[in-house]
Amino acid sequence: MTGVQTCALPIFQVSTLAAGAWFSRHELAAVCLLPSSERPDVVVFLDGINDLTHGVDQTPMEDRANEYRRNMLIARDTLLHRGVRRVIFAPQPFLGTKRHKSKFEQGIMVLPPVTRRSLREYQELIRFTRELAEVPGASLLDCTRVFEIGRAHV
């Protein structure tokens, strides 16, 4: 056979309802503001780190983790109730868990400061994200070890 083979693929549309530096409260707002006429087949949440690592001086970490849990539960249940076929939770990889860091990565770790407590909270976030994915219609896409693949970055 010569030439390029073609096959019929489903046509789909990808929409991004996010921006850099969003917290779970922004994602929940986006879900709540989604018009009822919009019924995506799949919604993916790639999040969690901003909720845990930003606002260190303003809000206690435990409160931020609890807010993340509450927001993601409401978002998941709202989307499933609206008929979304799959809600995927993909917890962001966390540089604090990477064993071998480049000098650049080591520098990043001080802004905001990563502490033993933030590492514990990250593990708790992963545990909770797995629980979110245990209901019908929800799934986990584990991205937590992405930084371990390959060599140190720049």
Side-chain angles (χ1 to χ4, degrees):
M1 176 178 265
T2 61
V4 176
Q5 287 185 321
T6 61
C7 61
L9 296 174
I11 296 173
F12 58 91
Q13 176 181 343
V14 175
S15 301
T16 301
L17 303 177
W22 268 25
F23 290 72
S24 61
R25 66 178 161 266
H26 300 113
E27 293 172 323
L28 177 58
V31 166
C32 292
L33 293 172
L34 189 67
S36 59
S37 60
E38 293 284 326
R39 290 218 173 103
D41 292 320
V42 178
V43 173
V44 179
F45 290 101
L46 175 66
D47 63 9
I49 296 301
N50 290 345
D51 288 89
L52 294 182
T53 60
H54 294 353
V56 173
D57 296 330
Q58 297 88 358
T59 307
M61 187 176 299
E62 185 175 330
D63 293 347
R64 292 192 314 272
N66 287 332
E67 181 182 14
Y68 174 81
R69 290 179 186 96
R70 180 184 62 83
N71 292 340
M72 291 296 93
L73 275 170
I74 294 169
R76 180 199 67 191
D77 293 346
T78 299
L79 290 166
L80 292 175
H81 179 74
R82 285 186 173 188
V84 172
R85 292 174 22 191
R86 182 69 48 191
V87 178
I88 299 173
F89 294 95
Q92 286 174 279
F94 183 39
L95 197 53
T97 63
K98 186 174 180 184
R99 292 183 196 132
H100 305 288
K101 298 173 189 67
S102 69
K103 287 185 181 191
F104 176 75
E105 291 167 332
Q106 291 171 14
I108 291 173
M109 297 300 294
V110 298
L111 298 170
V114 175
T115 64
R116 289 185 198 273
R117 184 171 180 183
S118 58
L119 292 171
R120 284 193 309 270
E121 288 293 331
Y122 180 68
Q123 293 305 320
E124 182 67 14
L125 175 126
I126 301 309
R127 185 191 64 74
F128 177 72
T129 305
R130 287 188 174 114
E131 289 176 9
L132 281 170
E134 289 177 355
V135 302
S139 297
L140 175 73
L141 176 60
D142 191 345
C143 299
T144 57
R145 301 203 31 102
V146 167
F147 290 146
E148 294 296 329
I149 300 170
R151 57 191 172 89
H153 302 283
V154 183

